Amino acid sequence: MQIQNSHSYRKVAIAACFGTFLEWYDFLTFATLAVIFAPLFFPSTDPNTALLASLATFGVGMVVRPIGAALFGSMGDRIGRKPVFMITIALMGVATVSVGFLPTYAQAGIWAPILLVSLRLLQGLSAGGEIGGSAVYLTEHAGNERRGFKTSFLQLMGPLGILFSTLQIALLRNYLTPEEFQAWGWRVPFWVSIVLLMIAFKARIALEETPIFLELIKNNQNATNPLVTNFRDPHTRKRMFLLFFCISSGGAVLFFCVQVYTAIFLKTSVKLAPATVDQLSLYATLCLLPLTVFAGWLSDKVGRKPVVVSGLLLGAFIILPTFHALQYFGSQYLELSHQENILSIGLLLTCLSLALALVVGPQTALLAELFPARSRNSAATLPHNLAAGWIGGLLPLIVTWLNQKWGNDIAGLWYPTIFLGSAAILALLYLPETKKIDLSV
């Protein structure tokens, strides 16, 4: 039941990855434009109140991700991986394109924010089914050899989605006046989704169901109520918790520290110029891409468990000293303008990227390998999206609150440090090695 033809697998991988890229692009473009949405859809005499309402609308998408995971993950085990694959990409695409045509509050009154929140809910539901379900689909097509390497490319889609969204908005801001961007320029990234959706849908519609699910159908072994089955089985329940706490939450925590908080910290605490920080963030993201593929390859050689545990431990040990060092080298650069200080910051960001890569590189394969074939889709997608929506989604709020409580821009990072250390210990003690597992079982 393995795909032997490398061309066939490349076709599957490109379609799966491009669809996931579109999901991340759509999902993150909304976050990038939260400041723009505030006055357009949530007018208020207090700008902070409007911004909070806009950010809350973004957060709604994170909160409902687990609901989408439960719904579509269960469907993937009942009716097949591919149909759900098509539903989620269509739902996300239509919701995102529709945002680009929404009337503003000035044009439609209260209906404008209601429609915006409704579309954001659809985006969140779709992302819950796609992110996790695509990992199962791709891994089941990858066969039993070199799964870590072959599936690690799916993990590149999040960073690439961030890059494409950010660069596109930067270009629009550069070529349009602030008034033009506020009037109609913000709609362009959502209109671009029309083209991306057509490409992704065409690529996916030509794909076949996974051979493993076809075998389940042939033998009448597909689950009828997979979520209930998962929670009743103590073995599956234990692995769902390990996936949630050690792998998916660990990756979400590191993603926040590496891809989100470093930029905030360098701009607000260290006071580096925004252009310099943007260049450093771009460098860190570009470093993350090959490191992620390397981690997937390494997990095929030495096992998934040692690679993931190494990433969790590395993150737990280096987060606090790295941010102290970023503060030191940033202040030295501001005082002396020595270029070697910027190089030192770049090296520190590379170390953080390595910790993230070691956790997420083998993650795609692990999502599928941890669970039996008949209930794999639902067992993998629910804890993965709970981790992303609740642990990853709430992390910025928790860290910011701890920083304010202790009056220190680094104090809040004790939370991810302790979280990663705890996850590493649990993974070391209980996470099974899965690299040689036959996915058809």
Side-chain angles (χ1 to χ4, degrees), residues 68-104:
L71 172 65
F72 292 116
S74 182
M75 286 175 61
D77 285 327
R78 293 199 317 271
I79 67 173
R81 321 307 194 206
K82 182 186 172 181
V84 173
F85 220 30
M86 303 304 299
I87 293 169
T88 55
I89 195 72
L91 193 61
M92 175 64 86
V94 170
T96 303
V97 170
S98 298
V99 172
F101 292 96
L102 280 181
T104 63

Side-chain angles (χ1 to χ4, degrees), residues 228-360:
V228 174
T229 302
N230 291 335
F231 283 108
R232 283 179 176 171
D233 180 14
H235 179 73
T236 302
R237 208 164 53 229
K238 174 185 173 183
R239 291 195 169 193
M240 287 174 72
F241 173 76
L242 289 171
L243 173 60
F244 168 78
F245 192 81
C246 300
I247 302 164
S248 298
S249 292
V253 166
L254 283 166
F255 181 85
F256 164 74
C257 291
V258 177
Q259 294 274 284
V260 179
Y261 194 67
T262 49
I264 296 171
F265 181 79
L266 290 171
K267 288 178 182 178
T268 60
S269 177
V270 181
K271 308 295 185 186
L272 288 182
T276 302
V277 175
D278 291 342
Q279 291 173 6
L280 287 167
S281 298
L282 176 61
Y283 163 80
T285 301
L286 292 176
C287 283
L288 179 62
L289 304 182
L291 288 173
T292 300
V293 176
F294 166 76
W297 170 85
L298 185 63
S299 74
D300 287 328
K301 302 297 181 183
V302 303
R304 317 284 189 237
K305 181 175 179 175
V307 175
V308 170
V309 171
S310 297
L312 293 171
L313 285 173
L314 180 62
F317 281 120
I318 71 170
I319 283 177
L320 283 168
T322 296
F323 275 87
H324 279 291
L326 287 174
Q327 202 167 43
Y328 171 77
F329 286 116
S331 62
Q332 288 294 300
Y333 174 73
L334 290 174
E335 290 177 15
L336 305 173
S337 298
H338 289 167
Q339 200 63 31
E340 57 264 27
N341 291 310
I342 290 294
L343 295 176
S344 298
I345 292 174
L347 183 60
L348 291 167
L349 295 179
T350 303
C351 293
L352 288 173
S353 296
L354 176 60
L356 173 59
L358 289 171
V359 175
V360 301

Side-chain angles (χ1 to χ4, degrees), residues 164-186:
F164 188 72
S165 173
T166 304
L167 289 174
Q168 182 182 192
I169 292 170
L171 284 172
L172 286 167
R173 287 185 181 277
N174 185 55
Y175 284 103
L176 299 177
T177 65
E179 292 74 21
E180 289 172 333
F181 188 83
Q182 186 80 8
W184 59 268
W186 64 270

Side-chain angles (χ1 to χ4, degrees), residues 142-151 296-297 300-301 304:
N144 292 329
E145 300 295 328
R146 298 194 305 134
R147 280 196 299 251
F149 170 75
K150 290 160 73 175
T151 60
W297 170 85
D300 287 328
K301 302 297 181 183
R304 317 284 189 237

Side-chain angles (χ1 to χ4, degrees), residues 204-217:
R204 285 192 172 185
I205 204 166
L207 296 179
E208 298 177 356
E209 184 56 81
T210 72
I212 289 171
F213 187 80
L214 290 175
E215 192 71 15
L216 289 173
I217 291 290

